Amino acid sequence: MKITDVKIEKFSAPLSEPFRVAFGVIEDSDSWTVKITTDEGIYGLGSAAPIGFVTGETMETCYLVMKMFAEAFIGFDPMDIAGAHKLMDSIIYSNGSAKCAFDIALYDIMGKKKNLPVYKLLGGTDPVVHNDITIGIDTPEKMQAAAKRFVFEKGFRILKIKIGINPEDDLRALTLIREAVGEDIRLRVDANQGYNVETALEVLPTFEKLHIDAVEQCLPWWDFDGAAELMQKNTTSVKLMLDESIHTPYDAQRASKLHCADYYNIKLMKCGGLYTGAQIADIAQETGVKCMVGCMQENKISITAGVSLVAAKQAIVEADCDSFMFFKGDDDGIAGGFDRKGGIFTLLDKPGLGIDMDI
Ligand code: MG
């Protein structure tokens, strides 16, 4: 099989409201869709959702890189995913979102060729994934109201709460949320690099009292020594997770060697897709670390890929693949991939991603 055509198109869907995290505000949800067609008539879809302050790519730079890949991929064997990554890495360093789009499209093609859904292609057997929903930073009262809406109106059982601007407000918001949702709802929090070692150690005992499962990325992304120190000094039951520190499998290797975290947050846009995401999960598995799959402002194409990775890998025990539910109207309008009831996602038993979309 050979690749005969690559088409790239912008995907825009407005967010229901801007989303605030400790290091910035996300206002739009633009991404690039890629459609890769082969000489056998099979096509694959992929998606790139760059965020400048995480992946170092803007929509514009991502497009330029994808155009370079598109040219290089004509005539390439789409079943050779390792070779595809070698090719992309030989063209440009980093640029995870652009690489991710092509990676996902190739897995979609491979699934269709082998008549298997992507999660089975990656070794999974159970199509059901329990996903969380995220509450952005706002006043503690508004965050509490959001928590109530997600739990009591929309049926979510796991909440991820953005914190990290001001520890006092963080603790107040978390206390209000725990009071409102009761003890049966699982809570995890994400500081998005907003703390230092001392602040984190100060708030962790209160997190434990509030039965917070885990806290994500307390420290700046580059501070692996600090993360290791925090791991050593954390005497609470609250698990420590790294997100912005873990882009590639090499980051996971380094973090595992230094014992920097209990969990890694794998994002396909950071690491370059399913091939490299699976490598991070394998490193975690070997070194006794668990994983979550998270997301950027992604639509259902890459979200389906992310959920498929969760279903496929034993080390991946948590899912934070919720971005498509923040588009206006609670959905991005893309049909297929998986069915959803509250936070319970069931992957479709269709070849590839199970998404038909013409671009
Ligand atoms: Mg995070």
Side-chain angles (χ1 to χ4, degrees):
M1 196 164 30
K2 294 264 180 286
I3 292 172
T4 51
D5 188 48
V6 178
K7 204 171 160 190
I8 303 164
E9 196 176 274
K10 193 184 245 186
F11 177 90
S12 297
L15 291 177
S16 38
E17 53 188 60
F19 193 77
R20 180 177 289 277
V21 303
F23 55 39
V25 180
I26 296 157
E27 308 216 10
D28 61 55
S29 59
D30 287 351
S31 56
W32 295 111
T33 304
V34 66
K35 181 182 180 182
I36 299 180
T37 307
T38 67
D39 58 356
E40 293 188 16
I42 298 175
Y43 73 87
L45 294 171
S47 178
I51 292 187
F53 52 68
V54 178
T55 70
E57 304 162 281
T58 65
M59 278 296 282
E60 291 74 20
T61 66
C62 186
Y63 180 74
L64 291 176
V65 172
M66 288 174 77
K67 287 294 279 182
M68 289 195 279
F69 293 163
E71 257 176 54
F73 270 98
I74 299 298
F76 192 83
D77 173 7
M79 304 291 273
D80 181 10
I81 296 202
H85 275 273
K86 248 188 203 160
L87 176 63
M88 293 191 286
D89 289 344
S90 76
I91 292 172
I92 197 161
Y93 165 77
S94 192
N95 285 273
S97 303
K99 289 174 183 172
C100 176
F102 284 75
D103 166 284
I104 293 173
L106 297 187
Y107 277 98
D108 192 21
I109 291 171
M110 190 188 278
K112 287 173 178 169
K113 175 75 179 171
K114 294 190 174 181
N115 203 26
L116 284 173
V118 169
Y119 79 94
K120 284 189 181 166
L121 200 61
L122 296 168
T125 51
D126 182 357
V128 179
V129 167
H130 293 259
N131 202 79
D132 67 17
I133 188 108
T134 305
I135 297 172
I137 294 178
D138 207 322
T139 64
E141 289 73 19
K142 283 193 180 159
M143 291 169 76
Q144 185 194 41
K148 280 186 187 169
R149 200 169 56 245
F150 285 137
V151 171
F152 300 116
E153 288 173 31
K154 300 193 171 178
F156 287 93
R157 309 291 298 165
I158 312 169
L159 301 178
K160 167 166 156 173
I161 301 141
K162 292 288 191 182
I163 56 166
I165 291 183
N166 173 342
E168 253 176 56
D169 285 346
D170 294 346
L171 293 178
R172 215 164 83 73
L174 294 175
T175 305
L176 287 178
I177 289 170
R178 178 54 87 199
E179 273 170 22
V181 301
E183 289 296 328
D184 290 344
I185 301 300
R186 292 181 51 208
L187 303 181
R188 51 177 167 250
V189 298
D190 187 354
N192 281 116
Q193 314 181 51
Y195 291 157
N196 55 37
V197 174
E198 291 71 32
T199 328
L201 287 171
E202 265 171 43
V203 293
L204 275 164
T206 313
F207 287 177
E208 185 179 38
K209 276 186 203 139
L210 292 167
H211 300 130
I212 306 289
D213 289 354
V215 53
E216 205 176 308
Q217 199 69 47
C218 288
L219 310 179
W221 66 268
W222 44 263
D223 195 0
F224 282 67
D225 289 339
E229 185 187 346
L230 196 55
M231 275 291 280
Q232 263 183 358
K233 293 184 174 167
N234 176 25
T235 54
T236 72
S237 59
V238 181
K239 300 294 182 201
L240 301 175
M241 192 184 298
L242 288 179
D243 176 0
E244 291 93 320
S245 296
I246 308 293
H247 279 242
T248 64
Y250 306 110
D251 299 327
Q253 269 168 353
R254 185 177 167 206
S256 283
K257 204 171 170 187
L258 295 171
H259 302 290
C260 290
D262 300 298
Y263 281 79
Y264 302 146
N265 183 352
I266 300 170
K267 287 180 182 163
L268 301 184
M269 298 299 154
K270 287 186 300 182
C271 68
L274 290 166
Y275 180 76
T276 30
Q279 287 178 334
I280 296 176
D282 290 342
I283 291 163
Q285 178 81 27
E286 283 163 23
T287 55
V289 175
K290 300 287 182 202
C291 296
M292 178 167 87
V293 169
C295 61
M296 306 292 195
Q297 295 310 305
E298 301 172 28
N299 68 29
K300 240 175 148 189
I301 297 173
S302 50
I303 288 292
T304 300
V307 174
S308 301
L309 188 62
V310 178
K313 289 287 175 184
Q314 208 189 332
I316 306 176
V317 294
E318 303 290 352
D320 176 30
C321 301
D322 61 350
S323 55
F324 69 101
M325 297 182 280
F326 290 96
F327 293 105
K328 263 195 185 131
D330 286 354
D331 205 336
D332 60 9
I334 297 176
F338 52 87
D339 290 327
R340 177 174 86 83
K341 200 164 180 250
I344 301 173
F345 298 180
T346 306
L347 289 155
L348 301 182
D349 205 18
K350 287 187 176 172
L353 295 172
I355 294 175
D356 289 316
M357 194 171 107
D358 203 26
I359 71 162

